[in-house]
Amino acid sequence: MRKFLTLICLSIISFSLNAQEKTLKEITSLKMKNIGALMDKNNDVDGYYFYYEVDKLKKGKREYAIKMLDNNLNDIATKSYIDEKNTILADSKFNNQALMFTMINVKERQYKLVSFDKKGERGKDVLIDVNKKEMKWLNLMVKTGNFNMLLPVDNKGFLFNYVKNNEKLGYGLKYIATDGGTTWDYNSPEDSEEILAINPIEVNEKVIVALEASRKSLFSQTIKFKVLVIDIETGKLLFEKEFDRENNPRLITNAFLSNENEVVLLGEYYKKGDNIIKAKSLGIFAQINNLDGKVISDNKVSWEDKIDKMMPTGLDGKDSNRGYVYFHDIVRTQKGTYYCIGEKYRKTASGAGIASLALGGSGSATQLTITDAMVFEFNNNFDLNNIEVFKKGKSRAPSLIDFGSPQLNAHALKAFGAFDYEFTQIDTDRDRFYANFIDYERLKGEKNKLAFKTIMYNEGKLSEDKIYLEKDSKKIELRVLPAKLGHVMLMEYNKKEKTLDIHLEKLNI
Amino acid sequence: MNFRHSPILIFLCIINFITAQESSNQYIPNNLDSLKVYLKRINNNHIEKINGSLSSKIKKAYKNRDGKVLESIEDSTYIFNSKIKKDLNLVLEHIYESNPNINPTDFSFFIKNSIVPNAACYGDGMFEINLGLFTQLESNDELAFIICHEIAHKLLEHSLKGITKRVALINSKETKKKVREIKRKRYGQTRAALSVIDELSIDILDYSKEVEAEADSLGFVMFSKTRYSKPAALYALEKLKRVDEMVFHHDIKIDSVFDFKSYPFKSYWLKETTSLFDTSEKINDFSLVSDTLKTHPEIEFRVNKLIKDYNVIREENKLKTIDYKYQDLKHVSNMQSIQFAFDLKFLDLALYQLIEKYNHKKISSEYYYSKMVELLYLTYQAKKAHELGKYVPQKNGFSDEKQLNTIRLFLNNLELNEVKKIGLAFCELIKNKKIDTHNLSEIIEFFKSINN
């Protein structure tokens, strides 16, 4: 996608008649540096930004332009931004009160949080000085795909999450209020003997739910997870809950805050002493806590006792074995039912990898074979109601470590984008969700086709919609980008005519 | 042969040439190749007359323009409709007869598929008139004035002068010096280039404003030699003023059009999303002064100038007189204006026009209901193929066209299963209204089958 986008230049003038006009056109034709969607915590798209360099200025400065489109693809603002050469626009979010951009100034080693209010006026920049190591680690964390650098707090403020180089690597969580409230920092202890990282995963007008991960060293294969619940007004820790390996190992996949301000944690549970990144989980859980940290309920559903018995038989009648399921997201509907969205995978031998090793080359003898999308439905007591399978073509990804468990490889490969899952959008107003996948369909008697598939939940039912990403005409390249709820953005690039057609399309329920 | 009549004869030969192009596909004429040759010829004839120091650059501009016109024809930009052409030619013929000084040898008028009431003179003899002009005007008198205005542009060589001015401006010593200086700049090149572009654009736009008033004057002189009613010039301009402010101003009341007993209108079909900014205008730190300037002077100024310069007196009592001859042309144009929106799948424009023209009794109820069912069918198919957004843009908060925005919001917000239900509800409505459904049986069966 990135390669495709760099081909597109924005031009401020559109006429070209002779040398002078050509020169003026060339000068005012700007190459885009990057493009992004402004997404909220439910992955709803509020708009899009295009970031490009406009001018070279004195003392190594540059003038950049940030062009913003609303979620209907209308050009609504172009703001000028002056900073050092090679300043990166790393993230952007909208909280209904303001827009915030995370700018990374590589030369000055500084993060700059730049905001614009709803009138388009620029707010006071928030500056955070960092060192090279901290920048490098932040970059790596972002690449894993499971890291919220900037999280909007609707109608209140923004949370900025970054890496701090303490005695060991730690974290900084900065809250910037946009409603006139207090701005605060919640940082990991500077003298911590463990490497610490934080990821805020849910927030409302009262609290933030964040996952804190700790490990002894970079090479340690044991990770401890803690759930931290922090007061949004003060930045004070309300409670923390540790799921330690010895007593209660759990992997938190998702969390949300109910209307009653209860913290609902969702994920997989393990046998006491199991390492969650290596071991096979015992099942799935939903734990409800109040804001004092007291457990109100803790419901578990076991693979062996419940899920395996309900696992549907494959279309061929053979594929009843579940293999492994990698859960990407867990959604709770307004009715209180839960939907776990995952993909089925197995560890298999890799013919190409074995051949390469036999010839003295490098590679992996094993691979993960990823197949169908699966949606598990639980009732409000977390009893398993149903499992639905959505057929999907096989994807294969070579194992990163041949001797590691499939789970360990799945976690590692997830960060490299090996799974077909893209993202899930949640529409709380209409009580719907849209889970998106990319699938390479192998069609009998037809050319295989790449398809964008969406599994949708509406009025208690799941359905599927798909958009083929290959047109009959080879000159058209089709890409799908996230859009406002229930929509996708289709980008059709005509390679021959070098034209780009962008349009929004509603998913078909 | 009398000199007075020879241009008319040539004109009639051209008419035959152009109207002969009509085919089953009204957008692409059968004799496309010979039409291309004809347009190239008139373009070359025009180019050959251009001389002077910048002639090669001006000729290049005209050649580029010719290429774009030919591409437009292939892209179904124009409509080749014999009825419209015939009526238009009658008006043209009378203008030429009344003004023997006009030599229409290389004149050709094309009808453009556009709802916007406008006309244009390309300079080489090619003119275009938008379908929207025929639908907005009320008489041949008004149409004749607009045509005279466009012919005046040609006689006054406004296009050539405009391009010459632009080429001269861009190639002036002063501009070249500025461009050289920009190229030498180490810093701030883009901003400097934008500033030069802005200056050039302001000069070009200033010229564009001047020539409109000039074309009104000469156009009125020619117009006053015809039998057409003189005050029609004022009425024509005033109609353009009304639409200059807003083309789609009819309150379409979409919530009542799509409110059925069996399937009531849902308020969330018009639900809007939160915008990033609360501003009524686009925010742009790189905006140019020239972006805010209009290409045409205010209509009020033009109307007052005509009244002052030519002592035109309004005939209010004649305003109510219906020009029946023109109504025929207007009716065909109304139908064609809806049809091109259907053919090009501009379903928002099609829906607006259907409701507006039905409410104003410009189309029959049979036509309205049958076309509406067709529109729902096309909407269903476009949504199913994830293509609706290609033809119907999303709502634009900065647009003054509130009614069109409402339609766009509605069409884009509808879900496939909702279109399915609306389609069936509309079919039932047609049945109750006892509309002849002979031509719609396939679509009605389709909606019935997908609702089972």
Side-chain angles (χ1 to χ4, degrees), chain A residues 187-418:
Chain A
N187 299 332
S188 59
E190 289 192 2
D191 55 355
S192 170
E193 290 180 359
E194 292 182 312
I195 295 172
L196 293 167
I198 198 164
N199 193 23
I201 52 173
E202 171 66 325
V203 67
N204 69 5
E205 71 288 355
K206 286 194 163 29
V207 294
I208 299 156
V209 182
L211 273 183
E212 186 193 74
S214 59
R215 63 166 81 184
K216 286 241 158 58
S217 73
L218 285 177
F219 304 103
S220 168
Q221 288 198 5
T222 302
I223 301 179
K224 280 192 288 184
F225 285 106
K226 248 189 220 177
V227 175
L228 308 182
V229 177
I230 301 165
D231 187 323
I232 196 88
E233 298 293 349
T234 61
K236 298 268 183 284
L237 182 69
L238 293 175
F239 77 87
E240 61 179 27
K241 183 178 280 288
E242 186 168 348
F243 296 105
D244 63 288
R245 180 174 173 175
E246 289 72 28
N247 299 307
N248 191 13
R250 295 194 186 194
L251 175 72
I252 312 290
T253 310
N254 209 352
F256 57 87
L257 292 150
S258 69
N259 292 338
E260 296 79 35
N261 273 309
E262 291 166 342
V263 182
V264 184
L265 302 173
L266 301 159
E268 291 175 71
Y269 67 94
Y270 296 78
K271 200 166 73 185
K272 278 183 186 176
D274 271 356
N275 183 350
I276 59 168
I277 60 167
K278 283 185 182 173
K280 199 171 180 175
S281 73
L282 294 178
I284 305 164
F285 78 92
Q287 187 186 78
I288 302 176
N289 300 266
N290 68 15
L291 283 188
D292 299 323
K294 192 182 159 202
V295 176
I296 296 169
S297 66
D298 191 8
N299 297 312
K300 294 174 182 171
V301 180
S302 144
W303 287 113
E304 209 175 304
D305 300 339
K306 188 79 184 174
I307 300 172
D308 282 352
K309 287 172 188 162
M310 287 183 70
M311 192 63 84
T313 306
L315 291 177
D316 53 3
K318 294 174 189 170
D319 193 15
S320 58
N321 186 350
R322 74 174 150 86
Y324 299 92
V325 178
Y326 190 94
F327 285 112
H328 298 287
D329 212 341
I330 303 179
V331 181
R332 194 170 91 148
T333 67
Q334 306 291 318
K335 286 197 304 185
T337 47
Y338 299 86
Y339 286 85
C340 300
I341 301 142
E343 274 177 280
K344 201 168 171 179
Y345 69 96
R346 282 205 188 93
K347 189 174 178 178
T348 54
S350 162
I354 294 166
S356 168
L357 289 170
L359 293 168
S362 60
S364 307
T366 62
Q367 62 190 357
L368 285 197
T369 300
I370 300 154
T371 58
D372 300 335
M374 310 194 86
V375 181
F376 289 49
E377 182 199 330
F378 299 87
N379 67 15
N380 51 2
N381 293 319
F382 215 67
D383 295 323
L384 183 61
N385 279 349
N386 192 22
I387 301 172
E388 264 193 70
V389 177
F390 292 85
K391 272 282 165 209
K392 199 158 60 61
K394 281 179 189 169
S395 301
R396 294 184 179 91
S399 299
L400 292 177
I401 324 159
D402 274 334
F403 50 83
S405 71
Q407 289 91 335
L408 179 62
N409 271 303
H411 284 300
L413 286 168
K414 160 85 175 165
F416 286 92

Side-chain angles (χ1 to χ4, degrees), chain A residues 12-13 15 17-18 20-21 23-24 27-28 30 38 46-47 54-58 63-65 68-72 74-80 94 96 99 116-120 429-430 432 465-467 471 484 487 490 492 501 503-509, chain B residues 57 60-61 64 166-167 170-171 175-176 179 182-183 186-194 196-197 200-201 268 271 273-279 281-286 382-390 394-398 412-418:
Chain A
I12 289 173
I13 57 167
F15 57 90
L17 188 63
N18 56 37
Q20 266 63 248
E21 280 179 311
T23 308
L24 290 171
I27 293 169
T28 52
L30 313 166
L38 298 151
D46 295 308
V54 175
D55 253 332
K56 200 171 161 182
L57 305 177
K58 287 176 184 168
E63 181 172 25
Y64 301 94
M68 287 160 266
L69 308 187
D70 67 10
N71 55 9
N72 286 325
N74 297 308
D75 179 358
I76 50 169
T78 309
K79 297 296 293 181
S80 164
F94 175 61
N96 296 332
L99 256 171
F116 297 101
D117 66 16
K118 289 203 82 169
K119 298 274 169 229
D429 281 356
R430 300 189 72 177
R432 288 174 171 179
D465 189 21
K466 81 177 150 193
I467 299 170
K471 292 255 171 178
K484 62 183 179 180
H487 293 74
L490 296 181
E492 294 185 31
D501 180 19
H503 52 105
L504 290 185
E505 295 299 341
K506 208 165 184 82
L507 290 162
N508 292 330
I509 286 188
Chain B
K57 290 186 169 75
K60 194 179 163 193
N64 287 344
R166 179 174 149 169
V167 171
I170 290 163
N171 291 281
T175 307
K176 282 182 177 170
V179 172
I182 291 169
K183 282 169 83 178
R186 281 189 67 191
Y187 309 111
Q189 273 196 346
T190 310
R191 286 280 193 180
L194 283 175
V196 170
I197 290 168
L200 294 172
S201 304
Y268 58 77
K271 191 184 170 190
T273 49
T274 315
S275 177
L276 292 175
F277 297 109
D278 285 339
T279 57
E281 281 178 11
K282 206 184 278 186
I283 299 165
N284 189 358
D285 289 350
F286 297 85
K383 276 192 180 276
K384 198 174 174 202
H386 302 100
E387 283 184 349
L388 186 81
K390 271 168 108 168
Q394 300 280 331
K395 186 204 153 176
N396 183 346
F398 296 137
N412 280 300
N413 273 354
L414 282 180
E415 288 179 352
L416 189 68
N417 62 353
E418 292 166 339

